[in-house]
DNA sequence: AGGAGTTTGTGAACGCGGGAACAAAATGGA
DNA sequence: TCCATTTTGTTCCCGCGTTCACAAACTCCT
């Protein structure tokens, strides 16, 4: 129905679908590494831990990249999803706050292999600035603007203590960063047009604790889990 | 309508609400630390970064803990939410996989301060076993069962490489762990009754990248026949 | 005491996402 | 060529979650 050329970026993809595309991408990479060239929606859905109908609907938002009666070409679909997400190119990223978590993030190889390149590590603590982490020298937080301009950075990662998070976010936004991944246990407010995603380690544990408590409390039934695999 | 006593655990709280309760808890703690004794739903909603109507509806699933015309008693509400989530007691947790991320998790003070106690660090690598991390000696993965029985552990954290994740999960489930927090970039399948939550660092970045790409691609411009080639 | 002003708790409308079921399209065999 | 088989792409329906809007309940001032 909709005329969609291969460079048509005007289609609207539901948020829920966008959040699953990286999972499909990972599953496809795993399949490709196993030497599998073609797969059905059922196969891929199993590998990704979702329902096959949901998978097909998700993929249909991207276009018709499968062949009825046959399935999907693993490499082709992988490329199409990568292109849609935008990870065929490398995204430069800065990490602010080189504590325990920042350390781990700087060393995380999954970033580079999935389309991201850490161009700088920043910290406000003079005791940390100058240290070498993951082969990179930690620079003072005030260098943020220079680094962002030099590498045209659009994505920033906050791994500072909670109290510093809002300040860092404000500074990032002022300099032109438009996407923030926040690991600090704090709500950061940003103006319209800036995306923030948050990852809170203890919140995830608390959610598990809630369900765990209910299991223990006898209760009536199993608390429907989110992605419980079959 | 529903008769709800303070110890009634049969009420069903929507998943979306459960996921926000820890955020409210954090916001309340922040308010309490600022010396604020009472707050309105508007205040708390702002602090938590949500809509006040949503906040009130969420809290209404727990009971009527506010006072009309006045607001909420910060400490009282905080206790009620903590009790509902189940973090008035301490939950013992084991962390498997003491690489970069496991290291950071072991050192993360937010766990202990929010109701969780890391009772053991485990790794399958003999080169890591025996090291002291966060004041705890890393033990061999095979000690899992002994530790889980000794401390009555219900929650396990997986911070291993992707290939090991499913094995570790299977082992955890076999031993009786019923809640898993998975940091490995892999889908883990578990039987019914076991809860799994996953945190994938690069997936979060990929979601940001998708939106970033769309911002760059001519944004919301009217979808002319030709995809904006600007 | 009574009314004005606040703020909570909730009923109802609405929109999004999930899942089943089916039509459309491709392959392969007779 | 034509039919059976397979698997995708899509439509329809349902349930959950979000939001609006308002009645109920409490305080404070006169």
């Amino acid at each position: 129905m909709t005329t969609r050329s291969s460079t048509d970026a005007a289609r609207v993809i539901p948020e829920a679908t966008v959040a699953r595309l990286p999972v499909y991408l990972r599953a496809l990479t795993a399949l490709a590494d196993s030497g599998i060239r073609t797969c059905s929606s059922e196969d891929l859905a199993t590998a990704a831990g979702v329902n096959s109908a949901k998978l097909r609907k998700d993929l249909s938002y991207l276009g018709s990249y499968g062949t009825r009666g046959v399935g999907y070409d693993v490499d082709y679909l992988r490329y199409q999803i990568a292109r849609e997400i935008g990870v065929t190119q490398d995204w430069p990223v800065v990490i602010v706050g080189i504590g325990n978590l920042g350390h781990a993030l700087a060393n995380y190889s999954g970033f580079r292999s999935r389309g991201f390149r850490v161009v700088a590590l920043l910290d406000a603590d003079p005791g940390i600035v100058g240290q070498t982490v993951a082969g990179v020298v930690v620079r003072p937080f005030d260098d943020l603007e220079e680094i962002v301009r030099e590498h045209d950075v659009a994505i920033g990662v906050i791994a500072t203590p909670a109290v510093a998070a809002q300040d860092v976010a404000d500074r990032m936004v002022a300099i032109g960063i438009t996407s923030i991944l926040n690991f600090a246990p704090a709500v950061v407010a940003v103006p319209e047009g800036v995306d923030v995603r948050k990852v809170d380690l203890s919140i995830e544990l608390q959610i598990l604790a809630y369900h765990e408590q209910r299991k223990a409390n006898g209760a009536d039934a199993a608390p429907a889990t989110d992605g419980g695999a079959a």
Side-chain angles (χ1 to χ4, degrees), chain A:
Chain A
M1 5 170 42
T2 49
T3 55
R4 41 173 168 259
S5 73
S6 57
T7 54
D8 183 355
R11 282 163 285 128
V12 59
I13 299 182
E15 259 315 294
T17 296
V18 171
R20 282 187 294 266
L21 290 180
V23 179
Y24 302 153
L25 193 54
R26 215 173 55 192
L28 284 166
T29 301
L31 290 177
D33 289 348
S34 306
I36 296 172
R37 311 291 299 272
T38 301
C39 70
S40 68
S41 64
E42 200 73 46
D43 298 335
L44 183 53
T46 302
V50 301
N51 177 302
S52 70
K54 194 191 296 186
L55 171 76
R56 289 199 301 278
K57 181 178 272 191
D58 283 343
L59 295 184
S60 77
Y61 291 117
L62 311 189
S64 289
Y65 295 136
T67 306
R68 297 177 191 222
V70 178
Y72 300 93
D73 180 282
V74 172
D75 279 333
Y76 180 60
L77 182 58
R78 186 154 67 117
Y79 172 74
Q80 291 300 341
I81 294 179
R83 190 179 54 79
E84 189 71 40
I85 297 176
V87 292
T88 47
Q89 51 183 308
D90 253 29
W91 290 90
V93 170
V94 294
I95 299 177
V96 177
I98 312 302
N100 288 313
L101 185 57
H103 231 89
L105 295 175
N107 279 295
Y108 183 45
S109 61
F111 287 161
R112 188 148 331 184
S113 67
R114 291 191 180 83
F116 302 92
R117 187 166 34 92
V118 177
V119 298
L121 308 178
L122 305 178
D123 204 296
D125 182 350
I128 293 177
V129 170
Q131 290 183 14
T132 299
V133 174
V136 178
V137 177
V138 178
R139 300 177 59 177
F141 178 57
D142 286 336
D143 287 3
L144 179 64
E145 180 158 15
E146 179 189 337
I147 292 164
V148 167
R149 297 215 188 290
E150 183 185 348
H151 294 92
D152 201 22
V153 177
I155 302 177
V157 176
I158 300 178
T160 65
V163 288
Q166 185 63 59
D167 283 345
V168 171
D170 290 345
R171 193 71 177 279
M172 284 181 168
V173 170
I175 289 174
I177 282 179
T178 46
S179 289
I180 295 175
L181 180 52
N182 177 32
F183 285 92
V187 174
V188 303
V190 294
E192 191 131 2
V194 177
D195 281 320
V196 175
R197 293 192 67 85
K198 71 174 202 295
V199 175
D200 190 307
L201 312 178
S202 57
I203 281 184
E204 297 300 325
L205 277 187
Q206 289 176 331
I207 294 170
L208 287 175
Y210 169 81
H211 292 299
E212 199 57 48
Q213 190 187 35
R214 291 191 64 102
K215 289 178 200 166
N217 280 1
D220 52 342
T225 65
D226 48 302

